[in-house]
Amino acid sequence: MQVVSTNREIEEGVCGRYSVQVAMDITAKCCHKEMESYGQCVTSHPSTWQQHCQDLKMKVAQCTSSHPVIQKIRTDCSKEFTEFEHCLRENQNSPTFCSVHVARFLGCAETVDLAGVPVNPVPRPS
């Protein structure tokens, strides 16, 4: 994974792909355990993963949802994400059918402007 390395590059908005990369890095760094469990569940239940893995999907969502970058992408791309989730629900046995929807969501996420969004916020005490 390549991450934009300087604040100047971030401030200048180099890049649509930066917001997707940051979101993926945040998820991988902060929610690795949850992502591993969810991925194993999906792999283990290829035709029924929507039902079998719902709890784990929610754990991933809860883990990432408090981060400002993820919040910004969810807000700016809510329509595309909702359409993708709807497609997955309607095509549980053929999730690859939704590749167009995921491409639209990722395309939107790549255009999200992260200027002013704290990429590495100070964690709040629980």
Side-chain angles (χ1 to χ4, degrees):
M1 286 185 192
Q2 181 181 2
V3 178
V4 176
S5 59
T6 68
N7 287 336
R8 187 172 145 260
E9 289 171 319
I10 294 168
E11 289 168 8
E12 290 176 359
V14 174
C15 71
R17 290 196 181 271
Y18 179 69
S19 57
V20 173
Q21 185 65 49
V22 170
M24 292 174 67
D25 289 348
I26 289 164
T27 302
K29 181 179 176 184
C30 302
C31 306
H32 178 74
K33 182 179 77 172
E34 291 85 350
M35 285 298 297
E36 274 296 311
S37 297
Y38 180 58
Q40 289 173 357
C41 183
V42 170
T43 301
S44 299
H45 303 21
S47 60
T48 59
W49 63 273
Q50 282 286 65
Q51 296 95 323
H52 281 96
C53 307
Q54 185 64 24
D55 301 357
L56 298 171
K57 177 183 172 184
M58 294 308 295
K59 287 181 181 178
V60 171
Q62 289 168 350
C63 181
T64 60
S65 65
S66 63
H67 198 284
V69 169
I70 304 299
Q71 289 174 346
K72 177 77 169 146
I73 291 171
R74 282 187 166 180
T75 299
D76 290 9
C77 301
S78 62
K79 177 181 177 250
E80 291 81 357
F81 189 72
T82 300
E83 289 172 357
F84 170 58
E85 282 193 320
H86 177 75
C87 181
L88 287 177
R89 279 192 301 278
E90 297 295 315
N91 298 285
Q92 293 180 23
N93 295 328
S94 305
T96 55
F97 181 75
C98 302
S99 60
V100 169
H101 294 83
V102 77
R104 284 186 197 135
F105 170 68
L106 292 174
C108 176
E110 289 172 359
T111 67
V112 172
D113 181 6
L114 295 179
V117 178
V119 176
N120 294 310
V122 176
R124 293 184 221 155
S126 318

